Amino acid sequence: MQAQLAHQLALAPTGTIVIACAGAAVVAAALALYFGALLGIVRSDLTTGMKLVWFAFTLMAPFLGSLLWFLIGRRDAQRRPGLA
């Protein structure tokens, strides 16, 4: 019984480290998505007004705005450059 308890206690820090690394990877991916979307918005061929709308939306709702930019906005910007 004591050996099993000692084994479980020895594994606890490893599990904590794995969870912390997974959390850090998720945060890094979310930040990359966010900053990639902001950079993509600024560099797009959209009009200034549409860039401002996408930029504001991405600032107000970072994850959702970034995701929608890559799913909808970027494709629309490539299809109709310079048009709102």
Side-chain angles (χ1 to χ4, degrees):
M1 181 71 168
Q2 287 180 345
Q4 184 181 11
L5 182 62
H7 180 68
Q8 287 176 347
L9 288 176
L11 291 179
T14 304
T16 305
I17 291 171
V18 169
I19 291 172
C21 288
V26 168
V27 168
L31 286 173
L33 178 73
Y34 178 66
F35 288 115
L38 291 177
L39 185 62
I41 292 167
V42 170
R43 298 174 110 190
S44 72
D45 289 334
L46 292 173
T47 62
T48 306
M50 283 307 294
K51 283 183 184 183
L52 187 61
V53 168
W54 275 108
F55 203 82
F57 185 64
T58 304
L59 287 176
M60 288 189 281
F63 183 74
L64 182 63
S66 300
L67 195 61
L68 287 176
W69 166 252
F70 284 113
L71 293 176
I72 299 169
R74 200 172 93 182
R75 186 175 6 159
D76 191 43
Q78 290 172 349
R79 193 172 348 135
R80 297 183 291 157
L83 297 177

